[in-house]
């Protein structure tokens, strides 16, 4: 397998999951401005969507989008318990968190990276994102991870997006449980490797 990634993108999430799963894989950086891979290939031929992550499977197929990638990877190493078994309610809870992270957090951070956004729109985006932080703060009190004591693919994705706070000059001090959650995940050895 090969993961196409960029250091500042959400491709960190499947990178973490690949390492947590203990799977063999290669990495290839993608210059997203020029849509060229580190080996000089045209990234448009790999992913016409023009963004990462992309996982190239051993049979030559490409899988895109972070949520299905992390689920696929976790299913390759079920003994690591990075995702609950198919059919269990816990599996759907993980899917729920993946969807929340994608729809609310990931999308919520996107405007904060736009330097040309008028201040009133930037403030509205921050307010909406802060509401999601309030929700997570209340939920994470007394919990180690999103699913309790077990680190899952949902935590890898949620951490990846919350970690963007440092790139948009956003401090998490107002949300101590959230701040502790991010620090806890950041301290994991496989996260450090990724």
């Amino acid at each position: 397998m090969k993961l196409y990634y960029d250091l500042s993108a959400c491709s960190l999430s499947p990178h973490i999951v690949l390492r947590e799963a203990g799977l063999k894989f290669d990495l290839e950086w993608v210059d997203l401005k020029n849509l060229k891979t580190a080996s000089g290939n045209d990234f448009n031929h790999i992913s016409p969507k023009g963004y990462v992550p992309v996982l190239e499977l051993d049979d030559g197929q490409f899988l895109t989008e972070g949520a299905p990638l992390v689920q696929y990877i976790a299913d390759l190493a079920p003994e690591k318990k990075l995702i609950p078994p198919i059919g269990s309610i816990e599996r759907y809870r993980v899917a729920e968190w993946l969807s929340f992270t994608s729809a609310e957090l990931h999308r919520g951070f996107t405007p904060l990276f736009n330097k040309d956004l008028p201040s009133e729109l930037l403030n509205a985006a921050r307010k909406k994102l802060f509401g999601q932080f309030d929700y997570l703060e209340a939920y994470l009190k007394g919990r180690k991870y999103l699913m309790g004591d077990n680190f899952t693919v949902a935590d890898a994705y949620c951490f990846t997006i919350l970690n963007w706070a440092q790139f948009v000059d956003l401090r998490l001090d107002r949300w101590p449980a959230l701040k502790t959650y991010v620090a806890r995940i950041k301290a994991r050895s496989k996260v450090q490797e990724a």
Side-chain angles (χ1 to χ4, degrees):
M1 285 186 295
K2 181 188 288 187
L3 178 66
Y4 292 89
Y5 76 100
D6 181 57
L7 291 174
S8 62
C10 62
S11 51
L12 176 60
S13 173
H15 188 176
I16 290 168
V17 176
L18 281 162
R19 292 191 181 276
E20 291 276 352
L23 299 173
K24 185 176 183 278
F25 65 97
D26 296 315
L27 288 169
E28 186 155 358
W29 175 73
V30 177
D31 176 349
L32 293 174
K33 287 183 183 174
N34 298 309
L35 295 175
K36 292 283 184 194
T37 68
S39 61
N41 292 321
D42 182 348
F43 188 61
N44 287 307
H45 295 303
I46 295 163
S47 176
K49 294 176 181 176
Y51 56 81
V52 293
V54 175
L55 187 64
E56 183 176 353
L57 308 181
D58 292 337
D59 66 3
Q61 292 186 68
F62 295 100
L63 189 59
T64 64
E65 304 298 333
L69 259 69
V70 295
Q71 292 172 81
Y72 175 81
I73 295 163
D75 282 338
L76 294 176
E79 71 282 0
K80 299 292 185 170
K81 300 183 186 318
L82 294 168
I83 194 165
I86 293 172
S88 67
I89 189 64
E90 292 82 10
R91 174 111 176 183
Y92 297 104
R93 293 288 180 215
V94 167
E96 187 177 32
W97 282 114
L98 289 169
S99 293
F100 171 83
T101 301
S102 178
E104 301 301 331
L105 299 178
H106 193 154
R107 186 179 57 162
F109 264 99
T110 301
L112 305 185
F113 287 102
N114 184 346
K115 305 276 190 243
D116 299 325
L117 198 65
S119 61
E120 63 274 2
L121 292 177
L122 182 62
N123 290 337
R126 282 179 176 256
K127 182 178 179 183
K128 182 163 176 44
L129 187 60
F130 291 175
Q132 302 306 336
F133 287 2
D134 291 342
Y135 168 72
L136 277 170
E137 174 71 15
Y139 180 82
L140 285 168
K141 284 184 182 167
R143 287 183 174 88
K144 194 172 178 181
Y145 299 111
L146 293 171
M147 295 298 292
D149 289 334
N150 298 320
F151 176 87
T152 69
V153 297
D155 296 297
Y157 189 21
C158 190
F159 162 78
T160 295
I161 303 307
L162 291 172
N163 195 47
W164 288 351
Q166 66 183 323
F167 303 123
V168 294
D169 198 30
L170 199 160
R171 298 182 53 85
L172 297 178
D173 296 336
R174 178 173 147 189
W175 304 276
L178 195 55
K179 184 177 180 180
T180 301
Y181 169 76
V182 169
R184 179 180 303 113
I185 294 173
K186 192 176 218 168
R188 293 178 68 86
S189 64
K190 299 301 180 183
V191 173
Q192 291 289 311
E193 288 175 23

